[in-house]
Amino acid sequence: MGRNSLKDERQKEIIQKYYLVAKKEGIENTSIAKIALEMDINPSLIIHYFKNKEELNYALVDFILEKYLIIYKRQNVEEDDLKGYLVELIDKLFSKKWNALFNDSIFYSCYAIGFRDNIIKGKFKRLHDSLRKHLSDVLMKCKIAGVIQIDSPEATADLIYVLVDGAYYYLSLISERGEYENKLKSYKEYAFGLLKI
Amino acid sequence: MGRNSLKDERQKEIIQKYYLVAKKEGIENTSIAKIALEMDINPSLIIHYFKNKEELNYALVDFILEKYLIIYKRQNVEEDDLKGYLVELIDKLFSKKWNALFNDSIFYSCYAIGFRDNIIKGKFKRLHDSLRKHLSDVLMKCKIAGVIQIDSPEATADLIYVLVDGAYYYLSLISERGEYENKLKSYKEYAFGLLKI
DNA sequence: AAATTAATTGAATGTTCATTCAAAATTACG
DNA sequence: CGTAATTTTGAATGAACATTCAATTAATTT
């Protein structure tokens, strides 16, 4: 009996708006009051759904990291085309769109908070390990199928992600379009070189 | 005539304290008031020396980035031992101490601000280009002297720094000592592999 | 000692903030 | 319709904030 709960939807709405506001103004300049203003609701409603700002931040980190996992959830899998799958994956990892989609101020701000908050650090660690594990599994399958010749799928996957992370770190500083594209291309070629493709 | 200016010393003291407070509490939780409290001075004195918080932040970024350049300023240079110099440099780049010294919450927080502040983004870009240029110069000298065989010193230097940046990004998430050291070691070996040393 | 310059303090400003609480509005069910 | 659950509002709290301004203190020179 009683009214139906809107908790899940509202919480998601709030976090999404939080993300948008923070993206524009920076996480350090984003307050509960500002999110509420933007949503045209009362600040106390946000507290009603999230208890306090810390909880709100944890939810934001989860939101960001979940988005990241799309990389291996939205991909065509054709049973027989292992190599095609791998190439598509690497192509996506080193794509401008990918960087624009997931690499931003909020991501690094949250990452930085991880230095002082082990819960957040753990969330990031789990994300990156999960990405590495996925690539490693793909590489292992390719190796068994004779598509690629590498020693350790695990080490290679790790190295490729080190490359991805380092690449985006530097690329995000580049404002000149040509320079950006040249670099990105050369990093990608290098990654393919690791796989001897 | 009149009293001598303490401007330079005071500014440096303030920025250093800012850095320390921010390291402990996070840059987003650090206020002028807190820095003043920690220094046992009046908040208005900080404004006297820095005009406003934005100026204070620019100075903090300069402070952090200057520290970074130590890597190629504090190194023994023996004219005839090019290879030794190179090995020492790479060793240093991939060292735990190095990571601990320069890789922290504040660094990434400031980097993140760069996404919305082109002045700060420019400062980071210049730092990283300067690091790359230095390594590239060293590699060029080594190549001419026949110490290493590589194609492009510039591209190799770039790649090594991509590796360094990506490595520290991931390593900072690792809390287990053994895992950290193994990874770091393997990344370093890989960098040496790039130089065929 | 007087004049000058800069450092430093202290009080005050108005704003924004997270959070609390009680009251009101809304929806569902019997 | 009445009860129960949940949403939503609105007002209030006290703390913290960046910044201002005028007044005071301290060092330096003539």
Side-chain angles (χ1 to χ4, degrees):
Chain A
M1 215 209 240
R3 191 171 175 173
N4 289 343
S5 175
L6 299 175
K7 200 172 183 184
D8 291 348
E9 300 99 298
R10 276 284 169 284
Q11 284 187 326
K12 195 157 195 184
E13 278 174 32
I14 292 167
I15 293 300
Q16 273 172 340
K17 195 59 89 172
Y18 185 10
Y19 180 78
L20 288 178
V21 176
K23 201 165 176 175
K24 202 184 287 178
E25 312 214 10
I27 213 173
E28 70 277 17
N29 301 317
T30 305
S31 61
I32 291 179
K34 277 184 193 167
I35 304 167
L37 189 73
E38 202 74 18
M39 295 181 74
D40 214 15
I41 61 171
N42 203 286
S44 56
L45 191 55
I46 295 180
I47 296 284
H48 171 70
Y49 283 115
F50 282 101
K51 193 176 147 201
N52 56 38
K53 219 192 171 189
E54 200 184 18
E55 295 295 321
L56 197 63
N57 278 331
Y58 288 150
L60 179 68
V61 172
D62 287 336
F63 174 77
I64 294 170
L65 299 190
E66 265 167 36
K67 288 202 330 164
Y68 231 95
L69 291 177
I70 294 176
I71 196 162
Y72 61 79
K73 281 186 179 149
R74 293 271 177 82
Q75 196 166 333
N76 312 321
V77 183
E78 296 182 28
E79 285 300 317
D80 48 346
D81 188 14
L82 262 175
K83 188 176 175 181
Y85 182 86
L86 177 60
V87 170
E88 193 186 329
L89 182 58
I90 303 287
D91 266 334
K92 220 195 295 179
L93 275 176
F94 289 90
S95 75
K96 207 174 172 176
K97 198 181 150 198
W98 193 252
N99 182 17
L101 208 53
F102 300 113
N103 217 256
D104 58 31
S105 158
I106 310 176
F107 188 85
Y108 281 105
S109 292
C110 290
Y111 172 84
I113 297 175
F115 280 87
R116 284 163 295 109
D117 183 326
N118 282 326
I119 293 180
I120 290 184
K121 184 183 277 195
K123 287 177 190 288
F124 271 85
K125 178 66 159 53
R126 255 171 278 128
L127 165 78
H128 287 289
D129 284 341
S130 143
L131 292 172
R132 276 162 165 79
K133 175 72 166 49
H134 172 254
L135 180 56
S136 170
D137 287 348
V138 174
L139 292 180
M140 176 62 93
K141 276 187 203 160
C142 289
K143 180 183 167 154
I144 290 171
V147 169
I148 55 172
Q149 280 86 40
I150 55 169
D151 286 338
S152 158
E154 219 183 339
T156 306
D158 186 28
L159 204 51
I160 287 179
Y161 269 110
V162 165
L163 217 56
V164 169
D165 296 334
Y168 285 153
Y169 173 87
Y170 182 59
L171 287 170
S172 297
L173 298 174
I174 297 179
S175 39
E176 214 229 307
R177 195 195 167 94
E179 189 185 358
Y180 182 103
E181 278 164 3
N182 286 339
K183 295 271 185 195
L184 183 55
K185 188 163 161 263
S186 89
Y187 300 147
K188 181 161 87 175
E189 275 167 12
Y190 191 77
F192 278 123
L194 284 175
L195 303 172
K196 289 146 200 153
I197 293 188
Chain B
M1 216 213 241
R3 193 171 172 172
N4 289 343
S5 174
L6 299 176
K7 200 172 183 184
D8 291 347
E9 300 101 297
R10 276 285 169 282
Q11 283 188 326
K12 194 155 196 185
E13 278 174 32
I14 292 167
I15 294 300
Q16 274 173 339
K17 195 59 91 172
Y18 185 10
Y19 180 79
L20 288 179
V21 175
K23 201 166 177 176
K24 202 184 286 177
E25 312 214 9
I27 212 173
E28 69 278 18
N29 301 317
T30 305
S31 61
I32 291 179
K34 275 183 192 165
I35 305 167
L37 189 73
E38 202 74 19
M39 295 181 74
D40 215 15
I41 60 171
N42 203 285
S44 57
L45 191 56
I46 294 180
I47 296 284
H48 171 69
Y49 283 116
F50 283 100
K51 191 176 145 201
N52 56 37
K53 219 194 171 188
E54 200 184 17
E55 294 296 320
L56 197 62
N57 278 331
Y58 289 150
L60 179 68
V61 172
D62 287 336
F63 175 76
I64 294 169
L65 299 189
E66 264 167 38
K67 288 200 334 163
Y68 232 94
L69 292 177
I70 294 174
I71 196 163
Y72 60 80
K73 281 187 178 147
R74 293 272 177 80
Q75 196 167 332
N76 312 323
V77 183
E78 295 183 26
E79 284 301 316
D80 48 346
D81 189 15
L82 262 175
K83 189 176 174 179
Y85 182 87
L86 177 60
V87 170
E88 192 185 329
L89 182 58
I90 304 287
D91 268 334
K92 222 196 290 181
L93 275 176
F94 290 90
S95 74
K96 207 174 170 174
K97 198 182 152 198
W98 192 253
N99 182 17
L101 208 51
F102 300 113
N103 218 255
D104 58 32
S105 161
I106 310 177
F107 188 85
Y108 282 104
S109 291
C110 291
Y111 172 84
I113 296 175
F115 279 85
R116 287 162 294 106
D117 184 326
N118 282 326
I119 292 180
I120 290 183
K121 184 184 277 196
K123 287 176 190 288
F124 271 86
K125 178 71 160 54
R126 254 169 280 128
L127 164 78
H128 287 290
D129 283 342
S130 144
L131 292 172
R132 277 162 164 79
K133 176 71 165 49
H134 172 255
L135 179 56
S136 169
D137 287 349
V138 174
L139 292 181
M140 177 61 93
K141 275 188 204 160
C142 288
K143 181 184 164 148
I144 290 171
V147 168
I148 55 173
Q149 281 86 40
I150 55 170
D151 286 338
S152 158
E154 219 183 339
T156 306
D158 186 27
L159 204 53
I160 287 179
Y161 268 110
V162 166
L163 217 58
V164 170
D165 296 335
Y168 284 153
Y169 174 87
Y170 183 59
L171 288 169
S172 296
L173 298 173
I174 297 178
S175 40
E176 213 228 307
R177 195 195 168 97
E179 190 185 356
Y180 182 104
E181 278 165 4
N182 286 339
K183 295 271 186 196
L184 184 56
K185 187 161 160 264
S186 89
Y187 300 146
K188 182 161 88 178
E189 276 166 12
Y190 192 77
F192 277 124
L194 284 174
L195 303 172
K196 290 147 197 151
I197 292 186

